[in-house]
């Protein structure tokens, strides 16, 4: 549970370095093409042995690929070009709450008082970090087109998490993720072509290749594989709370790689987020 958000935090760096180097859809397509090929090397025998189930679950793979790889990939990169980090964080902080509530209502997952308290503590910790301890700033936020792109991604991530849990599969989490990634690539291809022709072409370079590989291997294949495994073991509601660790991990990455300072409000946020995760995930 603590490894997956650490892997995802690398995407903060990729998103920050991508503008001017590679277009959003091109980055998402390259990311998931490489990730699918890497994952396939570990599970091709299982997929070949169960190939009769691929056609039966093909629509599921396309839908999940569209939600998790297209929207939650390219849309985040598009939104990040025109909105502030605090807006992105506040919008994504709502995702675990949406997942937890929807899981209790739709999937009938048990969600007791302690879990609710844990979600509240974790959300308070996230807000404290994102607002840098200045709670009055929450009233100064304003929406722009980038916020709308991120909001759509948050809703689609909620749907991805719920459908991943609700739809049974004949494949292991790793093989299923491989096929979902392939579905995402199929969905991304026409949008990437449109982007290159009509909006924002990308020029191949060593920097763009490095960003694609970093996004594919770390916040792509590794992080999604960990998330899929946790989904099957713990359920959508409890696993969604690991997203609350994002601001803390991003603060650590920013300090270690970008030289951004770590402040007292990060410690206060950690003091709220970590107990919240513990309460939300205990039986």
């Amino acid at each position: 549970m603590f490894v997956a958000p650490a892997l995802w935090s690398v995407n903060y760096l990729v998103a920050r370095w991508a503008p001017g180097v590679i277009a959003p859809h091109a980055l998402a397509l390259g990311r998931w093409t490489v990730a699918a090929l890497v994952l396939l090397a570990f599970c091709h025998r299982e997929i070949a042995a169960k190939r009769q189930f691929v056609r039966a679950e093909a629509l599921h793979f396309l839908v999940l690929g569209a939600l998790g790889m297209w929207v939650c990939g390219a849309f985040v990169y598009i939104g990040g070009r025109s909105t502030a980090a605090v807006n992105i964080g506040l919008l994504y902080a709502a995702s675990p709450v949406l997942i937890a509530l929807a899981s209790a209502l739709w999937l009938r997952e048990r969600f007791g008082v302690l879990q609710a308290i844990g979600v509240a503590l974790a959300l308070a910790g996230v807000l404290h970090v994102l607002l840098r301890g200045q709670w009055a700033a929450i009233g100064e936020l304003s929406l722009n087109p980038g916020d709308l792109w991120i909001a759509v991604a948050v809703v689609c991530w909620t749907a991805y998490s719920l459908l991943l849990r609700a739809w049974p599969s004949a494949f292991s989490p790793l093989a299923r993720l491989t096929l979902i990634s392939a579905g995402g690539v199929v969905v991304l291809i026409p949008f990437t072509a449109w982007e290159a022709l009509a909006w924002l072409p990308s020029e191949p370079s060593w920097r763009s290749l490095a960003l694609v590989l970093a996004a594919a291997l770390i916040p792509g294949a590794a992080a999604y594989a960990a998330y899929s495994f946790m989904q099957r073991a713990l359920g959508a509601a409890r696993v969604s709370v690991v997203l609350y660790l994002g601001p803390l991990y991003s603060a650590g990455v920013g300090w270690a790689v970008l030289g951004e300072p770590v402040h007292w409000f990060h410690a206060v946020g950690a003091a709220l987020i970590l107990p919240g995760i513990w309460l939300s995930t205990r039986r």
Side-chain angles (χ1 to χ4, degrees):
M1 292 188 65
F2 294 91
V3 172
L7 299 172
W8 263 318
S9 68
V10 176
N11 211 34
Y12 291 101
L13 298 176
V14 173
R16 184 162 179 175
W17 290 331
V21 178
I22 185 171
H25 279 87
L27 176 56
L29 177 62
R31 172 187 180 182
W32 288 110
T33 300
V34 174
L37 292 174
V38 171
L39 292 168
L40 185 63
F42 293 95
C43 59
H44 61 92
R45 290 187 178 87
E46 178 187 348
I47 293 176
K50 298 179 180 178
R51 56 186 177 275
Q52 70 272 21
F53 296 106
V54 174
R55 180 176 296 180
E57 298 183 35
L59 181 60
H60 291 181
F61 298 145
L62 285 173
V63 172
L64 290 170
L67 293 172
M69 286 67 189
W70 172 41
V71 178
C72 295
F75 281 35
V76 172
Y77 296 137
I78 295 172
R81 300 172 70 91
S82 61
T83 190
V86 63
N87 293 43
I88 296 174
L90 282 171
L91 289 167
Y92 257 104
S95 180
V97 177
L98 294 176
I99 294 172
L101 293 176
S103 296
L105 295 174
W106 183 38
L107 301 182
R108 304 300 181 184
E109 291 185 2
R110 185 175 181 180
F111 194 73
V113 176
L114 288 179
Q115 282 74 29
I117 293 173
V119 166
L121 282 175
L123 179 58
V126 167
L127 293 177
H128 193 79
V129 171
L130 294 173
L131 296 173
R132 304 175 67 86
Q134 303 297 321
W135 283 80
I138 196 170
E140 300 174 4
L141 295 175
S142 59
L143 290 176
N144 60 48
D147 295 321
L148 298 179
W149 286 101
I150 302 300
V152 172
V154 169
V155 173
C156 288
W157 177 256
T158 302
Y160 174 88
S161 300
L162 294 172
L163 292 175
L164 197 67
R165 180 71 174 175
W167 284 342
S169 177
F171 297 92
S172 68
L174 191 64
R176 189 185 190 191
L177 177 59
T178 303
L179 294 167
I180 292 172
S181 299
V185 169
V186 171
V187 174
L188 274 163
I189 287 174
F191 291 100
T192 305
W194 168 83
E195 176 186 68
L197 295 173
W199 178 46
L200 193 64
S202 298
E203 295 185 5
S205 67
W206 290 112
R207 291 183 63 192
S208 61
L209 177 61
L211 289 176
V212 166
L213 291 177
L217 298 178
I218 305 174
Y224 273 68
Y227 191 80
S228 297
F229 177 80
M230 290 188 297
Q231 278 268 19
R232 179 168 291 190
L234 298 176
R238 289 190 289 171
V239 169
S240 68
V241 183
V242 303
L243 298 177
Y244 284 131
L245 283 170
L248 296 180
Y249 280 71
S250 63
V253 169
W255 170 77
V257 179
L258 303 176
E260 297 175 351
V262 177
H263 298 286
W264 63 269
F265 56 81
H266 293 125
V268 175
L272 293 169
I273 292 171
L274 297 177
I277 290 175
W278 179 76
L279 285 174
S280 299
T281 57
R282 63 196 299 266
R283 294 185 180 276

